[in-house]
Amino acid sequence: MKEREAFIAINSYSMRKNITKGCAQESCCGPILWNIQYDTVLILQFTDHTRVVAFADDLILMIRADSISEAENIANVEMGRKITTWAENNKTTFNEEKSQVMLMTIRKRKEQIEILVYINNKAIPQVQKLKYNNI
């Protein structure tokens, strides 16, 4: 994984840049190297309220709490301290624009409750439905 470069040519303009990190797309060892690195996020010491599910490069944190404000607080601790710190230590980032937060409750509520969960110091958009493809 040394002496790699990216090259782009558009019309009469071309540019080369040395690649210092990452895995080549379609590489045979790319998924294995990603799994080795990504497995370390799964063994972080999360609270007993948190369950973590990973598939490919997707990560789901499920938080169970006695109140909505408690769930919001736990989510922000897990995302802000643990996940963000892990990403910084592993020289990677999570895209807050592709991230979503969804509140699930057994109570039938008519009012819309907004929860604020942050990643990279930006609020994650709240959704009512979440589509998760793992194929």
Side-chain angles (χ1 to χ4, degrees):
M1 298 226 173
K2 293 183 178 179
E3 298 178 18
R4 296 183 303 141
E5 66 179 12
F7 174 77
I8 187 167
I10 301 173
N11 297 330
S12 63
Y13 180 79
S14 65
M15 182 177 169
R16 291 183 189 274
K17 181 171 176 152
N18 290 330
I19 306 294
T20 59
K21 58 186 169 184
C23 289
Q25 292 292 322
E26 307 291 328
S27 71
C28 61
C29 63
I32 294 167
L33 295 175
W34 175 251
N35 286 342
I36 291 168
Q37 178 185 18
Y38 209 49
D39 277 350
T40 61
V41 78
L42 300 176
I43 59 172
L44 292 175
Q45 295 298 311
F46 293 103
T47 68
D48 291 339
H49 298 273
T50 305
R51 297 291 175 261
V52 181
V53 177
F55 181 81
D57 62 349
D58 291 331
L59 186 69
I60 294 177
L61 267 67
M62 297 177 286
I63 296 165
R64 183 180 195 125
D66 293 329
S67 69
I68 293 169
S69 61
E70 181 185 15
E72 183 179 73
N73 289 337
I74 293 169
N76 280 303
V77 168
E78 304 290 40
M79 294 298 294
R81 292 189 189 142
K82 295 175 186 167
I83 299 295
T84 303
T85 300
W86 176 88
E88 289 170 1
N89 291 340
N90 286 277
K91 297 179 176 47
T92 190
T93 59
F94 287 95
N95 187 340
E96 65 276 352
E97 293 179 16
K98 290 185 177 181
S99 300
Q100 298 175 327
V101 64
M102 183 173 77
L103 176 64
M104 297 171 62
T105 179
I106 58 173
R107 294 187 183 118
K108 298 281 185 187
R109 296 181 187 262
K110 301 219 184 260
E111 75 274 9
Q112 180 65 24
I113 296 175
E114 183 178 347
I115 58 174
L116 295 172
V117 180
Y118 297 87
I119 189 167
N120 303 330
N121 295 318
K122 294 181 183 173
I124 300 173
Q126 185 173 344
V127 296
Q128 296 300 311
K129 294 180 182 178
L130 186 66
K131 183 176 180 183
Y132 181 67
N133 292 330
N134 62 354
I135 35 178

